[in-house]
């Protein structure tokens, strides 16, 4: 009996171990664990209602940031390794320069940007000291790179981008050398939003760019590559020597702390940026860490002022430092407001400090201080203002504008400037612009961001103020930058200035999505943008009058067989239907994620969107809306999947049987499903691969039928591209030579399943060798640049591709079919086989070499292998040319083959 008991015990233990091993190693167990990681991260998010008091509008930047985190996080690291993008950039440039190695038949792709008179978030502003009358202006978008305009005072000039292919387009600040005005310095990295707040930074920086020829050529200073965030930069004339000062900070980006090396601080260079010395003192007697600078101000007498911000440990903010030499050990510290804020009960984190010195009187200096409180995330407001009349030695507290209206997003938008000719006239700003004409005793609001919804006006300046610069030698003229680009006034000295938008051609718009009018040749597009609603492009420059939906624009669709209908949306599946370009009705809402993935069955007029929220609510469900546009009915349908996280991509199949909807649906953890009969009772089949990465499926592209699928993943650190030609029975990894970067969208060319295009974090990449064992990807961003692209849409009528970039607006290109064939080059060279013209419509001339008297079989087959035409000819030795009529062939792609003796040569042709 004891032996039996021992035997049963051993068997029980063995079975238990087997069960544990099975659970650990069973298919998709790693995905289930990753889903728990996603839900745990989501659980830390603040609820929307808890941050309403700090929002300027009905956008939700916390959710936008979280969605971007899940989309791009390295699943193994648990954070987004954005610095890895620099190496990817270098690989991109190297491949783009090796044009001699590109395939002979690779089709050229040249992108053309749509014109816009709207701008995106802009922090860097500078009047060019070399321009006549100081009319030329430089500006930097935090995701759109560096730009210039030759004359800011007129409406006739357009902005020009400096270089679309910089390693980093997150421009934060700009200045010039007063002793050599041909020398400019540009800082990168948006530290202002790299805090533990509900909005994430637009990007980690790459250091400082420098030009010595007034902006014609630029170099990235190698000595600054470890400066992750440059908050400000200035050059001071020190007895005829130009000394550069760089304010360097650390920040948090997508779950990872990016600490500038060797530390935060004010870095001083006497050799033009080749070498640097940190000069600020530590912020406490028990710490060796220097203050973190937010702002540099050089007074008219040369005294340097620095306003601080909190470091990653939320220490050292709300402090003013000044020095006359700029050297280490020479700094005076005014930390009254640091102490005052630290002792308060609610807003008790001393934070960002901005300094403004009066150009007409260096003894008069103003400062404003932000403070924060923590409730899971940290929120900051402008809290105090102060004034010094003795060059910063003593300070007096001033009134502020109403704190509930002034700067509720002080971590993000916080500015201060003194009139060059009147030391009592100051601008301050946060959400809007405020002005005092009596030295800070009282203020009036002089701009109104909400006028954007009413077409603008004299008081319109877009929300969130980031910079003010007066035109040298003209105190009545000044420029302002905000989340909506650049604005100008010629009446800056008046109590109520008249503002003018100056965004002609300054296309730094951040699109999430796009849709194209299906009518061939039509230049009508719609797109959803971050913080700028949904815009309607109708073959004329975009401006605020083209905003047809507010908030943050999300997915949008154009009905492919009823082109008078299109659909727009904002966050959480709140949709609007438009008929004949007029709003008709709305549907959906209150489900899904911030930018909720969806697709539209234009044959049955049904929209399908992810209904699962960030917290796992509505698990396994899609929003299904039938009867668009006139009799809409919403319901949530259960797909019965094993996923507990949101669906990350929804793709409608245009090949679905008549009267039915077929969908391909991916998840944030890398599960892929095919859903048939989605219009009635969905039937869901898992068609993904165990080899798929545990990561966010960003797109499913369909080729010439439902068996041909290209699936992309958007996370760092994973294999991003997978192909099946048999509906998911087998999968091939097609990452090949792609750099490690997020892949956000994909399309096949519909006439060539070996030809594909990807939307990536570094522009567009393409291949014509997708069906070959050794696929090769190449940069295809000519005319666009290394900007993040979120979506691609293909118009079948004329092969136009519309691209939604997140920082440079909308782009289009003609995506010609590629006639490259995978036949061995030595084989085709031996026959000298060619087909001309290609594409063709009436006839083709087939040319080849014949070796002796022989019979030759010429065949034309379609892409499914069906023989369309065959012709036997008798050929003599030498060159042979045979003309074949093709006018009766339907439009499409065909294969022309020539067989003579033991030789078979083939080429693809396009019939139009």
């Amino acid at each position: 009996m004891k032996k039996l008991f021992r035997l049963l015990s051993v068997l029980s233990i063995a079975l238990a171990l087997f069960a544990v091993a099975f659970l650990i190693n069973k298919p998709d167990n790693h995905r289930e664990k990753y889903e728990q990681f996603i839900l745990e991260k989501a659980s830390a998010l603040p609820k929307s209602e808890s941050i309403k008091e700090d929002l300027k509008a009905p956008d939700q930047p916390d959710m936008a940031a979280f969605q971007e985190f899940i989309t791009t996080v390295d699943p193994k690291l648990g954070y987004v390794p954005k610095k890895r993008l620099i190496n990817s950039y270098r690989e991109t440039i190297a491949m783009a320069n090796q044009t001699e190695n590109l395939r002979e038949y690779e089709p050229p792709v040249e992108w053309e940007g749509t014109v816009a008179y709207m701008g995106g978030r802009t922090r860097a502003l500078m009047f060019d000291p070399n321009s006549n009358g100081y009319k030329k202006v430089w500006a930097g978008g935090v995701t759109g790179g560096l730009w210039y305009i030759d004359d800011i005072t007129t409406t006739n000039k357009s902005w020009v981008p400096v270089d679309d292919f910089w390693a980093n387009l997150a421009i934060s600040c700009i200045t010039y050398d007063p002793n050599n005005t041909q020398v400019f310095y540009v800082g990168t990295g948006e530290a202002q939003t790299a805090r533990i707040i509900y909005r994430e930074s637009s990007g980690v920086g790459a250091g400082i760019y420098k030009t010595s020829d007034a902006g014609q050529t630029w170099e990235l200073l190698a000595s600054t590559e470890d400066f992750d965030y440059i908050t400000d930069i200035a050059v001071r004339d020190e007895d005829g020597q130009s000394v550069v000062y760089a304010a360097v900070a650390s920040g948090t980006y997508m779950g990872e702390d990016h600490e500038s090396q060797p530390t935060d601080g004010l870095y001083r260079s006497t050799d033009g940026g080749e070498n640097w010395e940190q000069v600020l003192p530590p912020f406490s007697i028990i710490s060796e860490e220097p203050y973190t600078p937010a702002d540099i101000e050089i007074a008219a007498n040369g005294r340097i002022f620095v306003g601080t911000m909190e470091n990653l440990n939320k220490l050292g903010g709300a402090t003013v430092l000044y020095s006359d030499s700029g050297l280490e050990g020479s700094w005076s510290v005014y930390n009254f407001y640091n102490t005052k804020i630290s002792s308060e009960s609610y807003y008790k984190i001393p934070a960002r400090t901005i300094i403004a010195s009066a150009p007409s009187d260096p003894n008069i200096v103003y400062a404003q201080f932000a403070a924060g409180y923590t409730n899971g995330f940290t929120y900051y407001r402008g809290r105090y203002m102060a004034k010094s009349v003795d060059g910063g030695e003593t300070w007096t507290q001033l009134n502020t504008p109403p704190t509930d209206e002034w700067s509720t997003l002080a971590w993000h938008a916080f500015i201060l400037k003194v009139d060059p000719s009147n030391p009592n006239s100051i601008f301050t700003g946060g959400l809007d612009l405020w002005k005092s004409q009596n030295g800070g005793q009282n203020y009036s609001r002089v701009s109104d961001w909400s006028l954007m919804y009413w077409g603008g006006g004299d008081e319109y300046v877009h929300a969130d103020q980031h910079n003010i610069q007066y035109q040298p030698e003209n105190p009545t003229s000044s420029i302002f930058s905000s989340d909506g680009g650049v604005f100008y006034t010629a009446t800056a000295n008046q109590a109520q200035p008249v503002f003018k938008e100056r965004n002609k051609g300054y296309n730094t718009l951040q699109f999430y999505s796009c849709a194209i009018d299906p009518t061939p040749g039509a230049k009508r597009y719609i797109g959803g943008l971050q913080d700028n609603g949904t815009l309607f492009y109708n073959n004329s420059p975009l401006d605020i009058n083209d905003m047809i939906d507010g908030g943050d624009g999300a997915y949008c669709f154009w009905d492919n067989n009823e082109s008078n209908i299109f659909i727009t949306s904002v966050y959480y599946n709140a949709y609007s239907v438009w008929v004949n370009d007029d709003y008709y009705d709305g549907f959906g809402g209150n489900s899904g994620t911030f930018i909720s993935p969806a697709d539209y069955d234009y044959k049955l007029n049904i929209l399908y969107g992810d209904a699962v929220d960030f917290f796992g609510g509505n698990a396994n469900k899609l929003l299904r809306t039938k009867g668009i546009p006139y009799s809409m009915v919403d319901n949530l349908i259960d797909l019965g999947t094993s996923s507990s996280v949101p669906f990350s991509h929804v793709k409608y199949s245009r090949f679905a049987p008549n009267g039915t909807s077929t969908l391909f649906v991916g998840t944030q953890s890398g599960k892929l499903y095919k859903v048939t009969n989605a219009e009635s009772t969905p039937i869901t089949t898992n068609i993904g691969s165990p080899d798929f990465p545990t990561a966010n499926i960003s797109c499913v592209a369909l080729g010439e039928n439902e068996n041909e699928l290209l699936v992309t993943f958007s996370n760092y650190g994973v294999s991003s591209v997978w192909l099946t030609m048999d509906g998911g029975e087998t999968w091939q990894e097609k990452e090949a030579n792609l750099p490690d970067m997020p892949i956000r969208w994909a399309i096949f060319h519909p006439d060539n399943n070996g030809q594909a295009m990807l939307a990536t974090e570094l522009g567009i990449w393409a291949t014509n060798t997708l069906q070959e064992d050794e696929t090769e990807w190449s940069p295809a961003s000519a005319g666009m640049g290394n900007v993040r692209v979120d979506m691609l849409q293909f118009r079948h009528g004329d092969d136009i591709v519309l691209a939604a970039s997140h920082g440079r607006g909308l782009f289009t290109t003609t995506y010609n079919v590629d006639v490259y064939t995978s036949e061995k080059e030595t084989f085709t060279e031996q026959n000298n086989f060619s087909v001309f013209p290609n594409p063709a419509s009436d006839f083709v001339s087939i040319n080849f070499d014949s070796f002796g008297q022989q019979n030759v079989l010429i065949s034309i087959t379609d892409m499914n292998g069906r023989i369309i035409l065959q012709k036997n000819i008798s050929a003599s030795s030498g060159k042979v040319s045979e003309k074949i009529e093709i006018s009766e062939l339907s439009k499409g792609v065909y294969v022309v083959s020539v067989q003579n003796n033991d030789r078979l040569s083939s080429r693809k042709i396009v019939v139009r």
Side-chain angles (χ1 to χ4, degrees), residues 374-653:
T374 296
N375 180 18
F377 288 73
T378 306
Y379 309 93
Y380 299 88
R381 287 180 174 230
R383 292 286 286 168
Y384 298 103
M385 296 186 72
K387 180 179 180 180
S388 173
V389 295
D390 54 13
E393 294 184 21
T394 61
W395 295 81
T396 302
Q397 186 165 319
L398 299 175
N399 295 323
T400 69
T403 55
D404 287 342
E405 303 175 48
W406 172 36
S407 183
T408 58
L409 305 174
W411 48 271
H412 172 60
F414 205 41
I415 57 170
L416 180 65
K417 199 72 174 179
V418 185
D419 186 315
S421 60
N422 182 358
N424 288 315
S425 178
I426 60 173
F427 278 107
T428 181
L431 175 60
D432 284 313
L433 291 166
W434 296 75
K435 190 172 185 182
S436 173
Q437 294 185 289
N438 53 15
Q441 295 181 46
N442 49 54
Y443 304 83
S444 60
R445 188 169 67 176
V446 294
S447 74
D448 183 355
W449 71 271
S450 67
L451 291 173
M452 69 182 296
Y453 295 118
W454 306 100
D458 291 348
E459 297 179 20
Y460 171 58
V461 177
H462 196 284
D464 296 346
Q465 311 307 313
H466 301 306
N467 202 332
I468 305 173
Q469 295 295 325
Y470 279 89
Q471 188 176 29
E473 302 179 1
N474 184 5
T476 67
S477 178
S478 60
I479 51 178
F480 305 79
S481 70
S482 67
D483 269 14
V486 182
F487 292 76
Y488 166 79
T489 184
T491 56
N493 59 324
Q494 295 183 9
Q496 178 57 66
V498 174
F499 298 102
K500 301 293 183 183
E501 193 169 2
R502 285 292 189 265
N503 288 317
K504 185 177 182 180
Y506 187 59
N507 196 346
T508 51
L509 297 173
Q510 299 169 306
F511 280 88
Y512 289 121
S513 65
C514 62
I516 185 169
D517 185 328
T519 308
K523 293 186 176 181
R524 286 159 46 93
Y525 324 123
I526 51 177
L529 303 88
Q530 178 179 317
D531 206 23
N532 276 297
T534 298
L535 298 180
F536 187 142
Y537 179 84
N538 193 12
N539 200 24
S540 61
L542 288 168
D543 60 31
I544 59 173
N545 295 305
D546 296 312
M547 184 183 293
I548 58 175
D549 235 348
D552 284 84
Y555 275 58
C556 50
F557 308 97
W558 215 303
D559 194 306
N560 279 351
N561 57 16
E562 296 176 89
S563 61
N564 65 323
I565 299 171
F566 61 80
I567 301 167
T568 63
S569 71
V570 294
Y571 29 77
Y572 304 116
N573 282 327
Y575 286 91
S576 299
V577 179
W578 303 76
V579 180
N580 298 322
D581 297 350
D582 290 325
Y583 174 80
Y584 182 78
D585 202 354
F587 66 90
N590 299 317
S591 68
T593 54
F594 179 71
I595 303 297
S596 211
D599 208 355
Y600 177 59
D601 178 344
Y602 57 88
K603 296 178 182 177
L604 300 181
N605 297 96
I606 304 174
L607 184 137
Y608 300 91
D610 165 60
V612 188
D613 65 31
F614 286 130
F615 309 100
N618 297 325
N620 299 309
K621 291 182 173 61
L622 292 182
L623 167 70
R624 181 178 67 193
T625 302
K626 295 183 176 183
I628 298 172
Y630 301 116
S631 55
M632 296 178 291
V633 177
D634 296 339
N635 57 63
L636 300 185
I637 58 173
D638 196 324
L639 299 189
T641 71
S642 60
S643 177
S644 58
V645 295
F647 295 113
S648 56
H649 185 74
V650 179
K651 179 67 176 180
Y652 159 69
S653 169

Side-chain angles (χ1 to χ4, degrees), residues 111 114 513-517 524-527 747 789 791-795 800-804 810-813:
W111 294 92
T114 54
S513 65
C514 62
I516 185 169
D517 185 328
R524 286 159 46 93
Y525 324 123
I526 51 177
I747 57 172
V789 181
M791 186 177 287
L792 299 169
Q793 296 292 350
F794 186 92
R795 183 162 63 194
I800 294 295
V801 177
L802 177 66
L810 297 173
F811 290 86
T812 59
T813 191

Side-chain angles (χ1 to χ4, degrees), residues 801-881:
V801 177
L802 177 66
S805 85
H806 200 77
R808 285 293 184 88
L810 297 173
F811 290 86
T812 59
T813 191
T814 301
Y815 191 24
N816 292 317
V817 70
D818 185 359
V819 296
Y820 171 76
T821 177
S822 60
E823 294 291 326
K824 293 182 179 179
E825 294 180 5
T826 55
F827 190 78
T828 55
E829 287 175 1
Q830 187 178 9
N831 291 274
N832 287 325
F833 174 62
S834 65
V835 181
F836 181 84
N838 191 7
S841 56
D842 298 323
F843 70 90
V844 291
S845 179
I846 300 171
N847 308 290
F848 58 94
D849 286 346
S850 176
F851 301 94
Q853 188 73 29
Q854 54 189 301
N855 292 320
V856 177
L857 177 63
I858 297 176
S859 302
I860 297 180
T861 59
D862 65 15
M863 297 306 292
N864 292 317
R866 291 188 294 265
I867 297 174
I868 306 301
L869 180 150
Q870 280 193 334
K871 184 177 183 180
N872 283 291
I873 65 171
S874 178
S876 302
S877 180
K879 294 187 179 296
V880 178
S881 180

Side-chain angles (χ1 to χ4, degrees), residues 750-766:
D751 296 327
N752 182 359
N753 60 23
Q755 190 175 343
M757 183 181 285
L758 303 177
T760 82
E761 203 77 2
L762 290 172
I764 302 297
W765 288 64

